[in-house]
Amino acid sequence: MEFKTFVFYFLAVILVFAALRVITARNPVHAALYLVLAFFNASGIWLLLQAEFLAITLVMVYVGAVMVLFLFVVMMLDINLDRLRQGFWSYLPVGSLIGVLMAVEMAMVLGGRYFGLDAMPAPPDPQAGYSNTRELGRVLYTDYVYPFELASLVLLVAMVAAVALTLRKRKGTKYINPSEQVAVKREGRVELVKMPAEKD
Amino acid sequence: MEAMLQPVADLFGPAWPLVWTLVKIIAIIAPLMICVAYLTLAERKVIGYMQVRIGPNRVGPKGLLQPIADGVKLLLKEIVIPSGSSKGLFIVGPILALAPSLVAWAVVPFDDGLVLADVNAGLLFLLAVTSLEVYGVVVAGWASNSKYPFLGSMRAAAQMVSYEVSMGFALICVLLISASLNLSDIVVSQSSGRFADMGLGFLSWNWLPLLPMFVVYLISGIAETNRAPFDVVEGEAEVVAGHMVEYSGMTFALFFLAEYANMILVSILTSVLFLGGWLSPFGFLPDGFHWLALKTAAILFIFLWVRATFPRFRYDHIMRLGWKVFIPVTLVWVVVVAVWMMSPLSIWS
């Protein structure tokens, strides 16, 4: 067996195991950490495909930022598993529909030759000195600049909306303003008072 | 070198590339660990003299064997695992803290061509790997199942995620002007310019045109490594020792090693990205690794100096500095650099 194939199966087995544990782990923190492991192995597989930009970005964005915040929230929650199980039967039809859809999609990709997927040729073998990052950047900012800008605009709107939805001002809080505190001068805080010495 | 190693290579046969890489890894990690050990001594000595004390001077001549004694002590101590902790993660935590700070050294160029992995996306790799450092702290804090570690890990998560953003923007400026993600190329791109032609190489390095980014990167680096004055994660007065409260012996030592290895990493990266790496400051002096070591040592000294000088930031001030000062400054400077590059005044052509 070629070394590359071995590496692929090694990563794939851990990936599938980690993905399974994400949905079976009882403890939500463990589940989140298994998801981190799954992301890691997925990025390893992308590296094997010589998509180093996507692989590293996956680690940087999902593992380095998204999952940290996820963990942050999950650790603070007091999750009651019985409460979570309550809606199981009512959600089952929708869930199974989505599951079947995903299974069909996977079957179409894996059995590509029965669905005419080989009409899409595999990308040519990259030359030495080929930079995945440079290539992606070039395509993203020339051929696909409008869809790209549109996507970033949607993200911006989502961001503003998320802030607007959660922003509320409570009245009567003793909130301190760090900007004002930083600007404090000695004169504003300390007053030197001259007092004559007291004599009997 | 190649010819000399040929007999050894024949001995190992097809496994030789693997063995050779392992040898190179050891050649990086072993000196690094020695540097970490002596950085702890340097820290105690420097802070000692800044506070008009002498610092450790009992073990060995002038206290030079102190780090060895500390290491042996930590190795021999019992590892206590709290009964209520999540045992697997409790052990994994310190490992997760140390591993990224060692992995990142794979792409650090020490001299022209002297790098373990000369990858094209080196800078991205660094960003990704340094963003993993937070996991060790978070996992350790949660697995300890104790209040102070948990509070510490929450603080760490928020702080490190915040400062990563401004660090990332500072790096974007660097890659903009050097038009490469490869760290060796970034150093080489600093070797040319108007001042370099005049023999004043140090004025052609990235720190001058990117001065705000240099400052932001350095301060964010101190915050990323949870060093004073940004060490609220382990602030004694508030959360005792943060995520390290429940750890003892070697598991504690791993956190310690990770912190100092990270300090050295941030310093060497600042030298590579902003201070010209192995380039010599003056035209008439030869380039070489010693310059990189010198620059790194100087920045490490700043780390210690800052620790001895500044009082600890309050937590909300840290968040304010990260989100309301650094991120706007870096965002604006990315645009400024981009416009500068496209304008006729561009100095990078």
Side-chain angles (χ1 to χ4, degrees), chain B:
Chain B
M1 186 83 176
E2 290 288 315
M4 246 163 61
L5 284 166
Q6 200 51 47
V8 195
D10 292 339
L11 190 68
F12 284 102
W16 172 243
L18 191 69
V19 174
W20 183 226
T21 311
L22 274 177
V23 168
K24 284 196 267 191
I25 291 174
I26 292 170
I28 293 175
I29 300 290
L32 175 66
M33 285 297 134
I34 294 171
C35 287
V36 165
Y38 277 91
L39 181 58
T40 62
L41 179 71
E43 174 168 40
R44 292 167 70 179
K45 278 281 185 192
V46 166
I47 294 180
Y49 281 115
M50 283 183 181
Q51 296 168 345
V52 205
R53 297 184 283 117
I54 294 175
N57 66 344
R58 293 289 136 174
V59 190
K62 301 213 176 264
L64 275 177
L65 294 179
Q66 184 70 43
I68 315 256
D70 288 346
V72 170
K73 184 191 80 173
L74 284 169
L75 261 176
L76 296 179
K77 281 210 167 180
E78 184 190 357
I79 296 174
V80 183
I81 299 182
S83 58
S85 66
S86 174
K87 291 191 183 56
L89 288 180
F90 189 78
I91 300 293
V92 168
I95 300 172
L96 277 183
L98 182 61
S101 51
L102 298 184
V103 168
W105 286 84
V107 293
V108 174
F110 297 100
D111 202 342
D112 206 359
L114 194 65
V115 50
L116 178 61
D118 196 15
V119 290
N120 267 334
L123 202 61
L124 265 179
F125 177 83
L126 269 178
L127 264 178
V129 169
T130 48
S131 68
L132 299 182
E133 274 157 18
V134 64
Y135 275 97
V137 178
V138 171
V139 166
W142 183 80
S144 299
N145 194 14
S146 164
K147 287 187 190 62
Y148 289 130
F150 189 64
L151 286 173
S153 73
M154 289 288 118
R155 287 179 167 194
Q159 181 180 327
M160 289 166 101
V161 168
S162 313
Y163 279 88
E164 238 154 54
V165 183
S166 46
M167 229 172 167
F169 277 123
L171 295 186
I172 284 176
C173 284
V174 173
L175 77 91
L176 259 181
I177 63 171
S178 43
S180 173
L181 284 167
N182 185 313
L183 287 168
S184 305
D185 290 350
I186 289 175
V187 173
V188 172
S189 78
Q190 298 178 53
S191 65
S192 57
R194 186 171 299 164
F195 289 112
D197 297 340
M198 288 157 63
L200 296 168
F202 69 101
L203 291 175
S204 278
W205 299 340
N206 281 341
W207 69 271
L208 193 59
L210 294 183
L211 191 59
M213 293 301 102
F214 174 57
V215 175
V216 165
Y217 186 83
L218 194 58
I219 297 177
S220 301
I222 297 175
E224 273 286 296
T225 48
N226 294 329
R227 292 280 305 173
F230 301 102
D231 59 344
V232 289
V233 171
E234 46 193 287
E236 299 89 348
E238 301 144 30
V239 290
V240 191
H243 55 284
M244 295 188 278
V245 170
E246 306 288 348
Y247 283 90
S248 60
M250 207 51 212
T251 47
F252 170 77
L254 283 189
F255 279 119
F256 213 70
L257 287 178
E259 180 178 334
Y260 284 83
N262 270 334
M263 273 168 71
I264 303 181
L265 180 69
V266 167
S267 309
I268 206 165
L269 285 182
T270 317
S271 319
V272 165
L273 298 171
F274 294 98
L275 298 178
W278 63 79
L279 300 173
S280 88
F282 299 105
F284 57 89
L285 292 171
D287 300 337
F289 169 69
H290 51 281
W291 289 114
L292 183 62
L294 208 67
K295 289 165 191 171
T296 309
I299 293 169
L300 278 173
F301 180 74
I302 293 180
F303 266 76
L304 308 182
W305 188 9
V306 162
R307 177 173 172 189
T309 312
F310 288 101
R312 185 174 293 134
F313 263 59
R314 209 174 66 198
Y315 187 71
D316 57 331
H317 284 207
I318 292 185
M319 283 298 145
R320 177 183 165 274
L321 184 69
W323 288 102
K324 293 191 175 172
V325 181
F326 281 178
I327 292 181
V329 165
T330 47
L331 262 176
V332 168
W333 204 255
V334 169
V335 178
V336 167
V337 169
V339 171
W340 188 1
M341 284 187 70
M342 285 298 139
S343 75
L345 295 173
S346 170
I347 52 173
W348 308 276
S349 51

Side-chain angles (χ1 to χ4, degrees), chain A residues 63-131:
Chain A
V63 179
V66 174
M67 287 315 289
V68 175
L69 296 179
F70 229 85
L71 266 181
F72 192 89
V73 174
V74 165
M75 281 176 177
M76 305 261 256
L77 293 179
D78 184 23
I79 292 179
N80 189 342
L81 277 176
D82 292 329
R83 286 254 317 276
L84 283 178
R85 293 241 173 83
Q86 262 173 8
F88 182 75
W89 290 108
S90 57
Y91 286 125
L92 189 62
V94 185
S96 46
L97 182 70
I98 294 173
V100 167
L101 269 180
M102 282 169 75
V104 169
E105 281 174 0
M106 273 192 261
M108 282 170 88
V109 171
L110 290 177
R113 70 191 127 140
Y114 303 111
F115 298 94
L117 268 190
D118 41 6
M120 295 275 275
D125 201 29
Q127 311 293 317
Y130 166 87
S131 168

Side-chain angles (χ1 to χ4, degrees), chain A residues 2 4 47-52 121-132 135:
Chain A
E2 208 189 335
K4 217 169 153 183
L47 266 187
L48 277 185
L49 292 172
Q50 296 179 315
E52 79 265 8
D125 201 29
Q127 311 293 317
Y130 166 87
S131 168
N132 184 237
E135 221 34 47

Side-chain angles (χ1 to χ4, degrees), chain A residues 128-145:
Chain A
Y130 166 87
S131 168
N132 184 237
T133 318
R134 186 182 293 272
E135 221 34 47
L136 257 177
R138 199 185 57 73
V139 172
L140 213 53
Y141 289 102
T142 53
D143 297 357
Y144 296 100
V145 66

